[in-house]
Amino acid sequence: MDLKFQILERDGPGRICSFETRHGKVETPVLMPVINPRKMTLPVDELVRKFGAKMLITNSYIIERDGELKRRAAAGGLHSLLDFDGPIMTDSGTFQSHVYSDVDIDADEIVDFQKSIGSDILTVLDIFSEPDFSRKQAERSVDLTCERTVKAIARVEGSSIVACPVQGSLFEDLRHSAAVRLSEVGGNYFAVGGVVPLMEEGRYAELASVILSSKSGLNPAAPVHLFGCGHPLIFPLAVLLGCDIFDSASYVKYARDDRMIFPDGTYDLNEMKYNPCLCPVCTANTLKEIQSMSGDDRTGVLARHNLHVLFSEIERIREAIHEERLWDLAESRARSNPPLMEAFAVIKRYRNYIERQEPLSRRRGLEIVDALSLSRPSIENCVAKAGALRPGQSDRLALITGRKPYFTHFDFSLAREEDLAVSTPFGIIPFSLTESYPYAQSDTAWRGDTQVSLSSYISGFNYREFRIIEGKWSRRHSNVPLSFYLSLVRTVCRYQFGEAAAAALLSGDITVAFSKNTGKLRSVFDSGRHILFFRPEDGLFSLKIAGAEKIASAVPPPAMRVYCLPEAVPFVSAGKSLFSKFVSDADDSLRPGSECIVSDDTGKVIACGSALMNREEMLSFKTGIAVSIRDYHRQP
Amino acid sequence: MDLKFQILERDGPGRICSFETRHGKVETPVLMPVINPRKMTLPVDELVRKFGAKMLITNSYIIERDGELKRRAAAGGLHSLLDFDGPIMTDSGTFQSHVYSDVDIDADEIVDFQKSIGSDILTVLDIFSEPDFSRKQAERSVDLTCERTVKAIARVEGSSIVACPVQGSLFEDLRHSAAVRLSEVGGNYFAVGGVVPLMEEGRYAELASVILSSKSGLNPAAPVHLFGCGHPLIFPLAVLLGCDIFDSASYVKYARDDRMIFPDGTYDLNEMKYNPCLCPVCTANTLKEIQSMSGDDRTGVLARHNLHVLFSEIERIREAIHEERLWDLAESRARSNPPLMEAFAVIKRYRNYIERQEPLSRRRGLEIVDALSLSRPSIENCVAKAGALRPGQSDRLALITGRKPYFTHFDFSLAREEDLAVSTPFGIIPFSLTESYPYAQSDTAWRGDTQVSLSSYISGFNYREFRIIEGKWSRRHSNVPLSFYLSLVRTVCRYQFGEAAAAALLSGDITVAFSKNTGKLRSVFDSGRHILFFRPEDGLFSLKIAGAEKIASAVPPPAMRVYCLPEAVPFVSAGKSLFSKFVSDADDSLRPGSECIVSDDTGKVIACGSALMNREEMLSFKTGIAVSIRDYHRQP
């Protein structure tokens, strides 16, 4: 069935999405509590009403093997069995075969059974690929899992969503090719499997490698479930790497061992003396009261605490995506946890894959504490672009020192006819780039070894003379000369659009206008036609239709283009959003936040706007906006 | 009055303490909500009953200037005015003079007024030293504050506790000498003042400098209040630096500005879309409901949220002290906040002061993520001691590579007659130290530049040959030769007690015994007399009385000695704890956790045990245990 999976908000690879099931819509990231149908530690009603659980998961194998449960499920269906009319996912028994190994299940039978009891998302009986599998064993687990998935999709005939498990042990190429195969056979809900041992043993670098090698082969327009991930320590990293769905039996399992889950780790109830938790059960019971409870009472209280913390962490991640701070959250967890930190080395290996999903700018700058923040793929990209940008055409360089805001630090009367650069935590960059993201917005307590040395900067750009100007603090935006603003326009255009587009845009009679309220640069005109709008929030330009035309006439396609299918041309030409299902192709270098030119299939410019997706996302998603239109040919 | 201030638990300079007021005992770290007597946003009853506030602070100047409040306070006293019978502190109006500057208060009058209405802790009318004060202004603020404090202590005649404010702007020497002066005139409750502008502007490095320069001059046996500190972001750092008491008007102030306090910062209610908070008000109201509330309702809800988070953070810090993880907590906050990170540079300047309060070992190892963890004063000390310890007497060195547990990694059949060293995240250390704190307990994802290079190690100890042995993983503790255990005993003794004491201890006929259950080293004997007990939790030794006698007979005092006053000798000789008020003097090199020898005033050894304090603490505290006695001369 069509999930109508779409992105609602995103922060790079991390995303808030929605999709539909036969029992309602789900917003991700989402956590499904695992229900043991034989023994419910917490009643379903409480999970839904008090904890706000929107979706549950239970085990079809347990139901199928239990005469009474099987009878009830067969008679009234799964939703009646659990007394829940929202989406229910079922697992297949694979995990039981991982734990007990002598489990006897027929792959077709368990799929048919899940279908018959009305599971919203049923799971293929996949082969759990253990981390210590040989290559041969891993290949077999992938092959068998893929074969069974193809069969399952056919058997289910669209009545349920089929969770397609990605296996392959620790072999990145196997994981990747398994993901590609499952996408090619039409999978639209993926589950990364075989990862529980990695999480149990704190092997987070290998977990990241498994997630990234799988995810990078998957159709991006489908939810990704990380099977068995139930600790909030891992959630921010997992969402950052593109996982959407989690299930947790941990809330009960940990409770049985007297372990309290917290975002930064797990605490032994019996060793605790003070309890910082504000959740309803910890507010209603003192720590001593909980410690003196016995058996099921204690387990119940701890399970509730654990579940509160788990759900809270999902909310924290959603808010972090909403505020575009997901990297901050994931990094801050890692900075206090050595094994999580190791995962970031794996992220660096996948930097090109991740960078494609990263926005060109964010509402917030970075809080740079160490080299880790600067190693984010999108930031490395910015730094490389800025460092390669010669500040001007002079053969003399003046390096301005100081701290941000660089603009207000600088006494422009000190500048002669020379190129101006400035030393920042990001390295040496053109001075006229210091009002733009991320240079203007970022705070730092850290001056690391990433600073390109001045001498290599000078020799790299063949400067013949240089001097250093000490930046002075001044509260007034006093003496910025107009020539500097023209230099800013040129530099930011080169940085944002590339040399060719910048040259095309800025040919002609260029003038600038300032905001009457703030005095800041606002618009750029060519012979009176508005071609660019300067965004105060990130110091980058929005393209006006006249600017888009100038670029299109000089820079050959597909640069900056998104091609619109004929049926949508009338709407987009009138300023409506371009939905991804109407995109026929796009420039591969577009990123979320890129300014882009929308053309019809003849190449005619019909509008311009801001891309919300990269090319493969535009071509994969069936639902959602690909380009938010900013300007078009308005009728006079 | 005598506060009976004592340490209950400690984690270096951070501590859980208790003290007494006329209205009951207080446990620190503690947060006092600020009560505006003219307008109570939250009723006192709710603060006490729902939030568990144990202590309140209000402003005597506001009461004194309000005819009606003054009349009621004069008639029924402060506790009746606020309807609270726990401890109440009063402020003097100094902060009003900081904010409004044209405040007219008489210093004697406001002290007398506070006394007359029955304030438990009254505050001197000090001179708020602004961060931009000149040296002359700062000197004047210190002088006047000290003079007024002396007068106030005399006027109060012990009926209330007098909060003695430490001023001095940003001048570290002035802060320090002010602290010394206030301690000398008998202050027993100190308040670090003039810091609100630093906290408001995020100037945490300067805040740390103010706290440390003040604190290092104060009598350690008194609570330290950080005036006006009301954000949980700062609490862990402030407690780590030795602050005990906080007051907060922030919960209301922030609420009025629609700002929600969280441990990692402040969020604007109107920009939030998801709320991860589990506190009672956030559980009872959805974010949308809070956002749509108006005026006082919204302020009330946000104030309650803020206060829940503030109190929760105090609990988190107490638990961190209890678990000996306060450094971890403070560092992890700083790792995500550049200005907080800058405070750690200041901590390094005060490393010698801080190191004196740090324990010799902790129940947990370090989670080493970066150079920051290794720069903790106590760890730098360990590393320096271990790096200076020649592994043996051979002129040949074998460097073992691998990871912990180093012991089980190593195949001892590979060792020849040579010195064994191992490369760890802490640098190169003797192999026989790898079962000890912090080397055995610590996890790391980080191999930084602190590793002493092999070549300088070799040349430093004049080795003539060296080779590298690759550590192999082996799960069995199989072939550890007895000679290695003897080497371990010698190395750990040199590391823990120094060369002279180790030589004295290990002269004679030394044998070792192992645990029957675990097979691990347990005891060391000299000719059958039990001299040392090997602690499995930190791999260091506890001294037995026979061992203490051996050291005392060979190593001149005051090394390792604590001197007991005659009246306590009978008790300590029989194994009772040595309380600090019975300590006449002690070795200056003792730290919390040091093994020590307790002598009477003739120098006779009467017992041995573990110090809980350093020398100045033993001599300052009137209440609490100085040495926990482990062994003594038992009657046969």
Side-chain angles (χ1 to χ4, degrees):
Chain A
M1 61 177 284
D2 180 11
L3 277 63
K4 300 200 170 64
F5 182 72
Q6 65 174 312
I7 297 177
L8 305 176
E9 297 196 57
R10 73 185 298 176
D11 188 14
R15 52 195 193 175
I16 298 174
C17 296
S18 70
F19 68 92
E20 288 178 11
T21 73
R22 282 179 315 170
H23 285 84
K25 206 179 230 183
V26 176
E27 187 176 306
T28 68
V30 70
L31 172 76
M32 293 181 272
V34 174
I35 307 292
N36 181 337
R38 273 204 291 252
K39 191 195 174 199
M40 295 190 196
T41 306
L42 305 186
V44 167
D45 178 54
E46 182 183 349
L47 289 175
V48 174
R49 213 167 22 82
K50 280 216 183 141
F51 291 87
K54 295 281 191 298
M55 192 176 174
L56 304 175
I57 181 168
T58 189
N59 194 301
S60 65
Y61 172 71
I62 293 176
I63 299 173
E64 206 269 338
R65 289 300 147 108
D66 181 307
E68 167 65 11
L69 289 173
K70 186 175 183 179
R71 193 193 55 71
R72 284 170 51 203
L78 182 62
H79 292 77
S80 141
L81 182 71
L82 298 190
D83 193 19
F84 177 60
D85 63 0
I88 304 178
M89 178 170 184
T90 45
D91 197 357
S92 60
T94 298
F95 194 71
Q96 278 64 27
S97 69
H98 155 68
V99 177
Y100 307 106
S101 80
D102 61 340
V103 173
D104 173 38
I105 324 170
D106 180 83
D108 290 343
E109 240 173 64
I110 197 72
V111 164
D112 292 347
F113 178 69
Q114 294 176 77
K115 180 185 171 189
S116 73
I117 61 176
S119 170
D120 292 292
I121 305 171
L122 62 81
T123 304
V124 177
L125 183 75
D126 54 333
I127 309 299
F128 193 99
S129 57
E130 304 283 350
D132 62 357
F133 265 14
S134 69
R135 185 165 181 98
K136 198 148 221 163
Q137 288 175 300
E139 279 170 354
R140 189 180 157 276
S141 83
V142 168
D143 287 342
L144 213 52
T145 300
C146 287
E147 282 166 29
R148 289 180 180 178
T149 304
V150 171
K151 274 171 87 177
I153 291 173
R155 292 182 94 83
V156 167
E157 297 174 315
S159 68
S160 297
I161 299 166
V162 176
C164 306
V166 185
Q167 295 288 355
S169 183
L170 301 182
F171 300 95
E172 294 195 340
D173 60 327
L174 291 186
R175 287 273 179 185
H176 188 82
S177 65
V180 170
R181 275 165 79 177
L182 293 170
S183 299
E184 283 171 357
V185 300
N188 58 5
Y189 183 110
F190 302 104
V192 177
V195 292
V196 167
L198 300 178
M199 293 186 283
E200 284 176 345
E201 294 167 26
R203 295 161 67 178
Y204 302 136
E206 287 158 311
L207 177 67
S209 133
V210 164
I211 295 173
L212 281 166
S213 57
S214 305
K215 172 86 188 178
S216 58
L218 292 174
N219 180 342
V224 177
H225 181 162
L226 188 62
F227 260 149
C229 176
H231 201 296
L233 187 65
I234 317 172
F235 289 167
L237 177 72
V239 174
L240 180 65
L241 302 186
C243 298
D244 306 291
I245 299 176
F246 305 99
D247 62 274
S248 161
S250 58
Y251 69 105
V252 177
K253 279 190 196 161
Y254 281 61
R256 287 207 198 101
D257 295 341
D258 284 353
R259 289 191 293 166
M260 292 181 81
I261 293 177
F262 284 96
D264 63 341
T266 309
Y267 287 70
D268 182 336
L269 171 70
N270 305 302
E271 284 180 11
M272 288 175 73
K273 191 166 165 190
Y274 302 91
N275 181 7
C277 184
L278 290 168
C279 85
V281 290
C282 291
T283 312
N285 303 279
T286 67
L287 189 64
K288 276 195 180 158
E289 285 167 358
I290 300 174
Q291 285 168 337
S292 64
M293 288 175 182
S294 57
D296 283 355
D297 283 353
R298 175 142 83 172
T299 302
V301 162
L302 294 184
R304 286 175 177 88
H305 159 85
N306 289 341
L307 206 50
H308 277 303
V309 170
L310 286 160
F311 276 117
S312 155
E313 195 57 18
I314 296 291
E315 288 302 292
R316 188 187 319 277
I317 289 168
R318 289 180 177 185
E319 178 66 15
I321 295 171
H322 173 66
E323 299 204 4
E324 300 187 334
R325 290 160 50 128
L326 184 59
W327 282 93
D328 292 331
L329 180 63
E331 287 177 359
S332 84
R333 287 285 152 76
R335 285 196 183 95
S336 304
N337 188 292
L340 268 180
M341 192 61 131
E342 290 178 348
F344 279 85
V346 177
I347 291 179
K348 279 182 204 166
R349 281 203 284 120
Y350 281 84
R351 66 172 308 292
N352 292 337
Y353 165 70
I354 289 172
E355 188 276 324
R356 295 185 67 79
Q357 300 163 74
E358 284 278 296
L360 282 197
S361 76
R362 287 183 160 89
R363 291 194 300 281
R364 293 167 189 272
L366 280 72
E367 301 228 321
I368 306 167
V369 182
D370 54 21
L372 182 60
S373 327
L374 289 181
S375 74
R376 295 180 193 172
S378 60
I379 298 301
E380 280 192 345
N381 232 33
C382 289
V383 169
K385 277 200 296 179
L389 217 56
R390 201 182 202 279
Q393 277 100 42
S394 171
D395 59 359
R396 287 178 304 159
L397 174 74
L399 182 77
I400 301 166
T401 66
R403 43 182 200 137
K404 78 175 190 94
Y406 302 99
F407 240 64
T408 48
H409 265 187
F410 190 58
D411 177 358
F412 281 89
S413 67
L414 298 172
R416 300 186 215 126
E417 290 290 313
E418 58 204 340
D419 286 2
L420 298 178
V422 63
S423 171
T424 75
F426 300 92
I428 299 174
I429 64 167
F431 184 64
S432 45
L433 213 51
T434 57
E435 292 284 282
S436 300
Y437 176 89
Y439 317 105
Q441 292 85 354
S442 299
D443 278 318
T444 185
W446 188 80
R447 302 250 159 191
D449 49 11
T450 61
Q451 292 198 19
V452 179
S453 81
L454 181 58
S455 65
S456 74
Y457 195 82
I458 290 168
S459 65
F461 287 129
N462 280 315
Y463 284 108
R464 291 206 289 176
E465 276 180 41
F466 89 97
R467 63 179 182 125
I468 288 178
I469 307 178
E470 294 273 336
K472 280 189 295 186
W473 178 269
S474 140
R475 289 195 180 271
R476 291 168 309 134
H477 229 299
S478 53
N479 55 355
V480 187
L482 188 63
S483 66
F484 181 79
Y485 282 108
L486 294 174
S487 154
L488 181 154
V489 169
R490 188 162 299 274
T491 306
V492 174
C493 281
R494 290 164 64 211
Y495 175 75
Q496 187 177 358
F497 305 121
E499 298 289 349
L505 262 172
L506 302 177
S507 64
D509 176 20
I510 301 300
T511 54
V512 294
F514 298 88
S515 158
K516 284 204 179 101
N517 291 328
T518 65
K520 289 195 168 179
L521 179 67
R522 201 165 78 172
S523 296
V524 181
F525 300 90
D526 168 21
S527 309
R529 286 180 310 156
H530 195 179
I531 56 171
L532 293 168
F533 174 81
F534 189 68
R535 302 192 297 248
E537 64 273 22
D538 66 359
L540 297 173
F541 287 112
S542 287
L543 211 50
K544 304 297 289 182
I545 191 76
E549 290 281 12
K550 285 190 82 177
I551 295 174
S553 66
V555 183
M560 293 181 67
R561 267 61 156 208
V562 177
Y563 291 94
C564 176
L565 287 174
E567 55 264 48
V569 167
F571 304 98
V572 176
S573 303
K576 304 279 185 219
S577 296
L578 172 55
F579 284 81
S580 55
K581 66 179 161 187
F582 298 117
V583 172
S584 65
D585 207 347
D587 178 4
D588 193 53
S589 64
L590 293 176
R591 300 285 176 268
S594 285
E595 293 298 296
C596 63
I597 302 165
V598 181
S599 299
D600 66 13
D601 54 4
T602 71
K604 194 184 137 206
V605 175
I606 60 169
C608 60
S610 176
L612 302 184
M613 298 173 169
N614 63 28
R615 177 175 182 271
E616 60 267 27
E617 290 166 344
M618 290 183 186
L619 299 179
S620 304
F621 274 87
K622 300 277 175 291
T623 311
I625 297 171
V627 181
S628 169
I629 300 300
R630 291 259 175 78
D631 202 12
Y632 55 99
H633 295 287
R634 285 157 213 271
Q635 303 305 324
Chain B
M1 61 176 285
D2 179 12
L3 277 64
K4 299 202 172 66
F5 183 71
Q6 65 174 310
I7 297 176
L8 304 176
E9 297 196 56
R10 73 186 296 176
D11 189 14
R15 53 195 191 173
I16 299 175
C17 297
S18 72
F19 68 93
E20 288 179 10
T21 72
R22 283 178 315 169
H23 286 84
K25 205 178 231 184
V26 176
E27 186 176 307
T28 68
V30 68
L31 172 76
M32 292 180 274
V34 174
I35 307 292
N36 181 338
R38 275 203 290 253
K39 191 193 175 201
M40 296 191 199
T41 306
L42 306 187
V44 167
D45 179 54
E46 182 183 349
L47 289 175
V48 173
R49 213 168 22 81
K50 281 217 183 140
F51 291 87
K54 295 282 190 297
M55 194 176 172
L56 304 175
I57 182 169
T58 189
N59 194 301
S60 65
Y61 172 73
I62 294 176
I63 297 173
E64 206 271 337
R65 290 299 148 109
D66 182 305
E68 166 65 8
L69 289 173
K70 186 177 181 179
R71 194 193 54 70
R72 283 171 51 205
L78 181 62
H79 291 76
S80 141
L81 182 72
L82 297 191
D83 194 19
F84 177 59
D85 63 1
I88 303 178
M89 179 171 183
T90 46
D91 199 357
S92 60
T94 298
F95 194 72
Q96 278 65 28
S97 70
H98 156 68
V99 177
Y100 307 109
S101 79
D102 61 342
V103 173
D104 173 37
I105 324 172
D106 179 83
D108 290 342
E109 238 172 65
I110 197 74
V111 165
D112 291 347
F113 179 68
Q114 293 175 79
K115 181 185 169 189
S116 73
I117 60 176
S119 169
D120 292 293
I121 305 172
L122 61 79
T123 304
V124 176
L125 183 75
D126 55 331
I127 309 300
F128 193 99
S129 58
E130 304 283 350
D132 61 358
F133 265 15
S134 69
R135 186 165 180 98
K136 199 151 216 158
Q137 288 174 301
E139 279 170 355
R140 190 180 156 279
S141 82
V142 168
D143 287 340
L144 215 51
T145 300
C146 286
E147 282 165 29
R148 290 179 180 179
T149 304
V150 172
K151 273 171 88 178
I153 291 174
R155 293 182 93 83
V156 167
E157 297 174 315
S159 68
S160 296
I161 299 166
V162 176
C164 307
V166 185
Q167 295 289 354
S169 183
L170 302 182
F171 300 96
E172 294 195 341
D173 60 327
L174 292 186
R175 286 272 179 188
H176 188 82
S177 64
V180 170
R181 276 164 79 178
L182 293 170
S183 299
E184 283 172 355
V185 301
N188 59 4
Y189 182 111
F190 302 105
V192 177
V195 292
V196 166
L198 300 179
M199 293 185 284
E200 283 176 349
E201 293 166 28
R203 295 160 68 177
Y204 302 136
E206 287 158 310
L207 177 67
S209 132
V210 163
I211 294 173
L212 281 167
S213 57
S214 304
K215 172 86 188 178
S216 58
L218 292 174
N219 180 343
V224 176
H225 180 162
L226 188 62
F227 260 149
C229 175
H231 201 296
L233 187 65
I234 317 172
F235 289 167
L237 177 72
V239 174
L240 180 66
L241 302 186
C243 298
D244 307 291
I245 300 176
F246 306 99
D247 62 275
S248 160
S250 58
Y251 69 105
V252 177
K253 280 191 196 159
Y254 281 61
R256 287 206 198 100
D257 295 341
D258 283 354
R259 289 191 292 167
M260 292 181 82
I261 293 176
F262 284 95
D264 64 340
T266 308
Y267 287 71
D268 182 335
L269 171 71
N270 306 303
E271 284 181 11
M272 288 175 72
K273 191 164 166 191
Y274 303 91
N275 182 7
C277 184
L278 290 169
C279 85
V281 291
C282 291
T283 313
N285 303 280
T286 67
L287 188 64
K288 276 196 179 156
E289 285 166 358
I290 300 174
Q291 285 168 335
S292 65
M293 287 177 184
S294 56
D296 283 353
D297 282 353
R298 175 141 83 170
T299 302
V301 161
L302 293 184
R304 286 176 177 87
H305 160 85
N306 289 342
L307 206 50
H308 276 302
V309 170
L310 285 160
F311 277 116
S312 154
E313 195 58 16
I314 296 290
E315 288 301 291
R316 190 188 316 278
I317 289 169
R318 289 180 177 185
E319 179 65 13
I321 294 172
H322 173 65
E323 299 205 4
E324 302 188 332
R325 289 160 50 130
L326 184 59
W327 282 93
D328 292 332
L329 179 63
E331 286 176 0
S332 84
R333 287 285 152 73
R335 285 197 184 94
S336 304
N337 187 293
L340 268 181
M341 193 60 131
E342 289 177 351
F344 279 85
V346 178
I347 291 179
K348 279 182 203 165
R349 283 202 285 116
Y350 281 84
R351 65 173 309 289
N352 291 337
Y353 166 69
I354 290 171
E355 188 275 324
R356 296 185 65 80
Q357 301 163 73
E358 284 277 296
L360 283 198
S361 76
R362 286 180 160 90
R363 290 195 299 280
R364 293 166 189 274
L366 281 74
E367 302 229 319
I368 306 167
V369 183
D370 53 22
L372 182 59
S373 327
L374 289 182
S375 74
R376 295 179 194 173
S378 61
I379 298 301
E380 279 192 346
N381 234 33
C382 290
V383 169
K385 278 200 296 180
L389 218 55
R390 199 181 204 280
Q393 278 100 41
S394 170
D395 61 357
R396 287 178 304 159
L397 175 74
L399 183 79
I400 302 167
T401 66
R403 43 179 201 140
K404 80 177 189 93
Y406 303 99
F407 240 62
T408 47
H409 264 188
F410 189 57
D411 178 357
F412 281 88
S413 67
L414 299 172
R416 298 186 218 126
E417 290 290 313
E418 59 203 341
D419 287 2
L420 299 178
V422 63
S423 171
T424 75
F426 301 91
I428 298 175
I429 65 168
F431 184 64
S432 44
L433 213 52
T434 57
E435 292 284 282
S436 300
Y437 176 89
Y439 317 104
Q441 293 84 355
S442 300
D443 278 318
T444 185
W446 188 78
R447 303 252 158 189
D449 47 14
T450 61
Q451 291 197 20
V452 179
S453 80
L454 182 57
S455 64
S456 74
Y457 195 82
I458 290 167
S459 63
F461 288 128
N462 280 313
Y463 284 109
R464 291 206 289 178
E465 276 180 40
F466 89 96
R467 64 182 183 123
I468 288 176
I469 308 177
E470 294 272 337
K472 281 188 296 188
W473 178 270
S474 140
R475 288 194 181 268
R476 291 168 309 132
H477 230 296
S478 52
N479 53 354
V480 187
L482 188 64
S483 66
F484 181 78
Y485 281 109
L486 294 173
S487 154
L488 181 154
V489 169
R490 188 162 298 273
T491 306
V492 174
C493 280
R494 291 164 63 210
Y495 175 75
Q496 188 178 358
F497 305 120
E499 298 289 350
L505 262 171
L506 302 177
S507 63
D509 175 21
I510 301 300
T511 54
V512 295
F514 298 88
S515 158
K516 286 208 179 99
N517 291 329
T518 64
K520 289 196 169 178
L521 179 67
R522 202 166 76 171
S523 297
V524 181
F525 300 89
D526 168 21
S527 309
R529 286 180 311 156
H530 194 179
I531 56 171
L532 293 167
F533 174 81
F534 189 68
R535 302 193 295 248
E537 63 272 22
D538 66 0
L540 296 173
F541 286 112
S542 288
L543 211 50
K544 304 298 287 183
I545 190 76
E549 290 281 11
K550 286 189 83 176
I551 295 175
S553 66
V555 185
M560 293 180 68
R561 265 66 154 204
V562 177
Y563 291 94
C564 174
L565 287 174
E567 56 263 48
V569 167
F571 304 99
V572 175
S573 302
K576 304 279 185 219
S577 296
L578 172 55
F579 284 83
S580 54
K581 65 178 160 185
F582 298 117
V583 172
S584 64
D585 206 348
D587 178 6
D588 193 53
S589 63
L590 293 176
R591 301 285 176 269
S594 286
E595 292 299 295
C596 62
I597 300 166
V598 181
S599 300
D600 64 15
D601 53 7
T602 71
K604 196 184 134 206
V605 175
I606 61 169
C608 61
S610 176
L612 302 184
M613 299 174 166
N614 62 29
R615 177 174 181 270
E616 60 266 26
E617 290 166 344
M618 289 183 186
L619 299 180
S620 303
F621 274 87
K622 299 277 175 289
T623 310
I625 297 173
V627 181
S628 169
I629 301 299
R630 291 258 175 79
D631 203 10
Y632 55 101
H633 294 289
R634 285 159 214 267
Q635 302 307 324

